[in-house]
């Protein structure tokens, strides 16, 4: 498939690109700073731009693709800067305009109704520390859900830099305890699997070890 990855220079984005190339996909990486992208491959194409500002670049990145995977995030910041809401406000119309129907958004566990299923400690963290970020993610998710596209929204629990295990759990609702974790590599593996798997079409899905 021919994919475009937004948030390509982040930890999860780079895992998605690495595994997508291993699987034989053609990948376009949309990044603000190409120097942060450490992957080199003849099937990897780079478009430099800002997901909040560069509508022409976003449209160019999306045009002609088979699917969009969005892994936008603010790294270690506790402020959202409106990244996800603004990014989805730009990506969704471009996807509709160019008839790229498959959109996979990697959000976060605890956003929206998923917070009800969180163990106590993570739930407190979402409220006390991540309120601004989660409100932004929720606004972005609402845009995607109303888009009419063939979307899947992935809610990973706390991310780690561990290896791909392939033994993670996924589902619309998971039983979780303590501070659940999942590796970025496993999230990338799951996200790519959704390109062909329609089990969670137009659904939100949690992923955890």
């Amino acid at each position: 498939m021919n994919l475009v990855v937004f948030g390509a220079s982040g930890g999860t984005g780079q895992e998605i690109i690495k595994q997508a190339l291993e699987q034989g996909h053609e990948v376009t990486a949309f990044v603000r700073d190409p120097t942060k992208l450490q992957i080199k491959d003849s099937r990897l194409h780079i478009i430099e731009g800002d997901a909040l500002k560069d509508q022409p670049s976003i449209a160019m990145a999306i045009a002609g693709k088979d699917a969009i995977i969005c892994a936008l995030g603010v790294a270690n910041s506790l402020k959202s800067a409106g990244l996800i809401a603004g990014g989805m406000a730009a990506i969704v119309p471009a996807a509709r305009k160019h008839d790229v129907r498959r959109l996979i958004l990697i959000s976060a566990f605890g956003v929206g109704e998923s917070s009800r299923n969180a163990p106590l400690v993570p739930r407190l963290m979402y409220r006390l520390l991540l309120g601004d970020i989660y409100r932004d993610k929720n606004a972005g998710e609402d845009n995607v859900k109303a888009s009419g596209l063939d979307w899947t929204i992935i809610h990973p629990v706390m991310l780690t830099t561990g290896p791909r295990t392939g033994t993670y759990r996924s589902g619309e609702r998971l039983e979780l305890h303590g501070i659940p974790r999942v590796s970025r590599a496993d999230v990338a593996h799951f996200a790519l699997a959704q390109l062909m798997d329609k089990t969670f079409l137009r659904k939100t899905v949690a992923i955890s070890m």
Side-chain angles (χ1 to χ4, degrees):
M1 297 182 76
N2 195 343
L3 315 175
V4 57
V5 179
F6 289 88
S9 64
T12 304
Q14 296 211 47
E15 277 290 344
I16 291 168
I17 292 171
K18 176 184 173 183
Q19 293 184 38
L21 292 170
E22 289 173 353
Q23 293 177 20
H25 298 297
E26 192 94 2
V27 182
T28 294
F30 188 93
V31 292
R32 282 201 307 174
D33 183 358
T35 64
K36 293 183 178 179
L37 194 58
Q38 301 173 8
I39 302 168
K40 306 295 181 184
D41 192 286
S42 61
R43 291 164 297 146
L44 175 61
H45 315 285
I46 298 173
I47 293 181
E48 184 176 350
D50 188 322
L52 291 176
K53 300 176 182 177
D54 297 338
Q55 188 68 48
S57 297
I58 291 169
M60 181 172 63
I62 288 173
K65 303 303 186 295
D66 299 309
I68 301 163
I69 301 180
C70 181
L72 286 169
V74 294
N76 297 320
S77 175
L78 297 179
K79 295 295 183 181
S80 71
L83 178 61
I84 308 305
M88 291 302 101
I91 291 169
V92 165
R96 288 200 297 248
K97 178 180 179 180
H98 294 285
D99 196 29
V100 181
R101 298 204 52 79
R102 191 67 173 121
L103 170 59
I104 298 167
L105 171 62
I106 299 174
S107 184
F109 189 79
V111 176
E113 294 185 0
S114 69
S115 64
R116 299 177 184 177
N117 303 321
L120 177 60
V121 173
R123 195 183 324 134
L124 291 173
M125 182 177 67
Y126 304 151
R127 292 178 181 176
L128 298 177
L129 296 177
L130 301 175
D132 179 59
I133 289 175
Y134 275 39
R135 284 188 294 272
D136 176 53
K137 288 181 180 293
N138 192 62
E141 288 190 13
D142 285 346
N143 193 331
V144 170
K145 291 174 182 177
S147 68
L149 299 173
D150 296 333
W151 55 268
T152 296
I153 297 173
I154 301 173
H155 283 167
V157 294
M158 183 177 290
L159 294 167
T160 74
T161 57
R164 183 177 70 196
T165 68
T167 60
Y168 52 82
R169 298 178 296 139
S170 61
E172 292 181 73
R173 183 168 183 173
L174 296 179
E175 184 175 348
L176 300 169
H177 304 281
I179 303 178
R181 295 174 172 82
V182 67
S183 72
R184 296 178 186 276
D186 276 338
V187 173
H189 182 265
F190 180 73
L192 289 166
Q194 303 318 296
L195 294 172
M196 301 302 296
D197 188 343
K198 306 304 182 185
T199 302
F200 298 109
L201 185 65
R202 295 186 179 175
K203 295 179 180 179
T204 59
V205 53
I207 177 171
S208 177
M209 290 302 295

